[in-house]
Amino acid sequence: MTPPPKKIWRILSGLLQRRPLLIILLAHTLFSIGIWNARDGYGEETNNVRMALHAVQSHRPDPFLYSDVIALTLRYFTPDPVVALTLMKYLSSLIATVALYLALSAFSGILRKSAIVFACLVWIASSLDAPYLQSTSLSLFTFAIMLFGIDCLLLRWSIAGVLGFYFFGLLAASLHPEYLVPVVLLTFFFAAQVVRQARLGWKVAICFALPLGAVFWAHPPAPVLKKLKHLDNYALLGLGQCYADFYHREHPETVFNPMTEYHDLLNREFNKPTGFCAAVENNPREALRYFTLNAGRNLFWNVPSAFLDRYREQTARHHHGVLYWAVRGILLAGALLGIARLYRAGSKPIYNRFRNNPEGRGILLLLALLTTSFVAVILLVGTSRYYLCWAPIFYLGVAYCADTLLRQFNLIRYEPQIIAVAFVVFCAPNFLSPRPNYEFDAVRHVAASVKEYPVIGASWAEPDAIIALDGKATAISLWDGIHHAAIENGKIDILLIDQNFRTSKTWADQRDFFEHFERQPETCGFKKAIGIPTGRFDIYYKPASIGPD
């Protein structure tokens, strides 16, 4: 017998008050039905899978936690890296959702639980938590770990909370170095609190800090120097690729692939730099111009787009449906009413209320988390995952808007109904339509016809060698140099050609050969993969023995 509607609303109201996290977990589970269909471009997972495969083969854990989780998945759940990465997408989304709920629940003293649940439902359906095209789950996974560290301070301001913050914060920093910034910033804050409470005085603190800092600066430990060198080289890679993309937008007539053929441009504009610092020193004027224009584009275009773009994976990339506009309408109406609500309260009472209470301290902690994106905003071309650290502040704003609307229109008695509607609208199953990875499936298909441990050539061949073929292949990408002699002499067994390849300098320099090769691949002993879906690629392979396809 079906329970009467009043009983259903009573049960849901009880869950809202006592088990809001259960509602959120159920919503996430519903949203993720069919997650195995979400197998989209996992290119940036290549190095993580490589380390995971090595850990599985050597039976030794990797120092990189994310790779260890992939290795455990490969060993105990599935041997297929693509399926393992799909499971990582689900796990990363789940723990990020829990971490965000814990962060918002720290503000339950001023926000209704239904508003917090509503904000979490919007997050579950957002493009940041369930991207339309997610090339790596590492960013979301790392963000979740860092947010757990912030949660430790938000939920309990104590020695245990500080230890929890350092545990999760340093763990996140080991995955993404930029998360060390809020750790260092809050360390200075903790030190200032100790100095103030111990009544040592700033002069005494400075007398101790300056000599220690001078010694550390003059003779830094070897591991620190090694880490700094690694970061300098990593930043140079980011500068090379992102400046090349920036330059290509300014000079679209230039023929080269920014992500793979940036070396010549980097050497020309920054005088063959040996590291990021050397590049800035060699051409500070051009570096400053790039940093200024890139940071402006990120702050005023890419950051808002990351949070106010699409909300469903099936939605076309540039199509905004009813759900998108509904969320924008709620945010706009709630924000206007929320500003009026703050104005009526007066600035002085608000300041006094937030200065010495958990909510005010919590907002400061979430603002400190924003420093994580400082380098990405200035240095890197805008990608949504770089701005994950903005999510807690943004969804706190969503919760505040929802709370304001509930109070302003006296909708508190309809909370269960509102959450039920949001549950269904936002969190209906998102992955019901299969999204096969044609590239990897096609490479696996043709690999059965070529020699064992083949050589794969492509604009970026490593994902096909590592993820598609479990590392049992050799990759040659554009930055390694793909020459017609290697194809003619049989040194490449599988060749993938897409639009990135055709617009590269490699193609332009050898246009006659590649155009002839695509017309008549058999002249080089190759066959074109036909009869199977290959996605955006044309795939050519050199059979171990000529026979039917």
Side-chain angles (χ1 to χ4, degrees):
M1 182 177 178
T2 305
K6 288 186 178 180
K7 188 173 182 180
I8 293 176
W9 302 135
R10 196 179 303 116
I11 292 172
L12 185 54
S13 179
L15 288 175
L16 272 174
Q17 297 303 318
R18 295 189 294 273
R19 297 289 186 270
L21 181 57
L22 179 59
I23 296 176
I24 293 168
L25 293 177
L26 289 173
H28 187 274
T29 302
L30 178 66
F31 184 82
S32 301
I33 290 176
I35 186 68
W36 50 85
N37 289 324
R39 292 162 54 178
D40 286 295
Y42 289 115
E44 292 186 41
E45 297 279 20
T46 302
N47 195 48
N48 302 322
V49 173
R50 179 190 287 115
M51 292 187 292
L53 290 171
H54 181 266
V56 171
Q57 294 165 1
S58 64
H59 302 285
R60 294 179 181 177
D62 192 272
F64 200 60
L65 173 65
Y66 184 75
S67 297
D68 285 333
V69 178
I70 297 176
L72 290 172
T73 306
L74 290 172
R75 183 171 180 90
Y76 294 107
F77 293 97
T78 174
D80 186 349
V82 175
V83 177
L85 293 175
T86 302
L87 294 175
M88 286 301 299
K89 173 183 284 189
Y90 172 77
L91 175 63
S92 301
S93 174
L94 178 63
I95 63 175
T97 300
V98 174
L100 181 67
Y101 164 74
L102 294 177
L104 298 184
S105 66
F107 297 88
S108 58
I110 58 174
L111 297 176
R112 296 192 65 81
K113 291 183 179 179
S114 58
I116 293 173
V117 171
F118 177 84
C120 290
L121 297 182
V122 177
W123 159 259
I124 290 172
S126 72
S127 58
L128 282 172
D129 192 48
Y132 178 79
L133 183 65
Q134 181 170 297
S135 57
T136 175
S137 297
L138 175 59
S139 297
L140 189 60
F141 184 84
T142 308
F143 162 72
I145 292 176
M146 184 69 233
L147 190 52
F148 276 127
I150 297 293
D151 290 341
C152 290
L153 296 176
L154 286 172
L155 299 174
R156 189 174 183 183
W157 190 261
S158 62
I159 296 298
V162 171
L163 293 177
F165 165 75
Y166 277 114
F167 173 78
F168 288 109
L170 294 176
L171 188 59
S174 70
L175 298 174
H176 269 313
E178 59 266 27
Y179 282 100
L180 194 60
V181 177
V183 173
V184 172
L185 183 65
L186 289 176
T187 297
F188 280 112
F189 175 76
F190 297 150
Q193 293 295 310
V194 170
V195 169
R196 184 175 66 85
Q197 293 180 7
R199 302 182 183 278
L200 295 176
W202 288 108
K203 294 181 179 180
V204 176
I206 291 173
C207 288
F208 280 101
L210 286 181
L212 290 175
V215 171
F216 187 84
W217 181 266
H219 302 286
V224 173
L225 288 175
K226 184 178 179 180
K227 188 68 174 179
L228 290 175
K229 178 66 175 177
H230 172 74
L231 292 177
D232 190 51
N233 292 333
Y234 190 69
L236 181 66
L237 170 65
L239 175 65
Q241 292 182 326
C242 296
Y243 177 78
D245 183 82
F246 168 81
Y247 183 90
H248 197 266
R249 289 198 304 270
E250 288 191 332
H251 305 85
E253 73 283 356
T254 309
V255 179
F256 73 105
N257 186 301
M259 294 297 107
T260 57
E261 297 177 320
Y262 61 87
H263 297 89
D264 290 342
L265 175 66
L266 187 67
N267 291 336
R268 185 178 76 242
E269 295 293 331
F270 295 96
N271 193 24
K272 299 181 179 180
T274 57
F276 174 79
C277 295
V280 175
E281 184 179 351
N282 291 345
N283 194 346
R285 183 175 179 178
E286 181 63 11
L288 179 61
R289 186 179 79 89
Y290 166 67
F291 294 150
T292 302
L293 294 178
N294 188 62
R297 178 179 175 82
N298 283 335
L299 284 174
F300 298 109
W301 177 258
N302 292 323
V303 170
S305 176
F307 293 100
L308 295 176
D309 198 358
R310 53 189 181 268
Y311 285 87
R312 298 292 294 183
E313 183 158 296
Q314 290 93 342
T315 303
R317 186 173 182 84
H318 297 293
H319 172 73
H320 300 309
V322 175
L323 184 62
Y324 169 83
W325 291 110
V327 171
R328 277 202 164 186
I330 291 171
L331 291 179
L332 179 61
L336 293 175
L337 292 172
I339 292 172
R341 176 180 168 187
L342 292 175
Y343 179 78
R344 287 195 302 270
S347 58
K348 189 173 182 180
I350 294 173
Y351 173 75
N352 292 335
R353 184 176 182 183
F354 281 90
R355 182 178 57 177
N356 295 314
N357 68 3
E359 288 81 12
R361 187 168 57 238
I363 291 176
L364 290 177
L365 289 172
L366 296 184
L367 290 175
L369 184 60
L370 296 185
T371 59
T372 303
S373 68
F374 176 77
V375 173
V377 167
I378 294 176
L379 175 61
L380 302 178
V381 173
T383 301
S384 296
R385 66 178 183 271
Y386 296 153
Y387 313 121
L388 279 166
C389 59
W390 295 66
I393 281 288
F394 177 80
Y395 286 98
L396 178 62
V398 173
Y400 179 76
C401 291
D403 182 82
T404 300
L405 290 172
L406 287 171
R407 297 175 189 273
Q408 182 70 26
F409 295 105
N410 196 25
L411 299 174
I412 293 174
R413 56 180 173 170
Y414 299 113
E415 283 178 320
Q417 292 87 338
I418 293 172
I419 292 301
V421 172
F423 186 101
V424 174
V425 172
F426 289 117
C427 301
N430 189 52
F431 302 99
L432 295 184
S433 301
R435 300 173 62 84
N437 197 309
Y438 295 120
E439 176 189 351
F440 290 167
D441 292 343
V443 168
R444 289 174 175 178
H445 178 83
V446 302
S449 302
V450 303
K451 72 178 185 182
E452 192 176 6
Y453 290 91
V455 177
I456 302 176
S459 56
W460 186 20
E462 280 76 6
D464 301 283
I466 301 299
I467 301 176
L469 299 183
D470 301 341
K472 298 175 182 177
T474 301
I476 298 181
S477 301
L478 287 178
W479 53 68
D480 301 312
I482 297 179
H483 305 288
H484 65 85
I487 299 172
E488 293 173 327
N489 297 333
K491 294 183 179 179
I492 293 179
D493 303 292
I494 302 174
L495 183 64
L496 287 75
I497 299 180
D498 63 344
Q499 190 59 25
N500 289 331
F501 199 114
R502 294 187 181 95
T503 56
S504 68
K505 186 175 183 297
T506 297
W507 179 279
D509 292 343
Q510 306 172 81
R511 182 181 300 276
D512 292 340
F513 168 77
F514 282 117
E515 289 180 349
H516 173 74
F517 176 83
E518 288 209 287
R519 288 193 303 268
Q520 297 179 319
E522 62 275 4
T523 58
C524 296
F526 278 75
K527 298 178 70 174
K528 184 176 181 178
I530 56 176
I532 58 172
T534 58
R536 59 188 178 89
F537 289 88
D538 289 321
I539 299 181
Y540 303 88
Y541 63 100
K542 191 178 185 67
S545 59
I546 302 295
D549 190 6

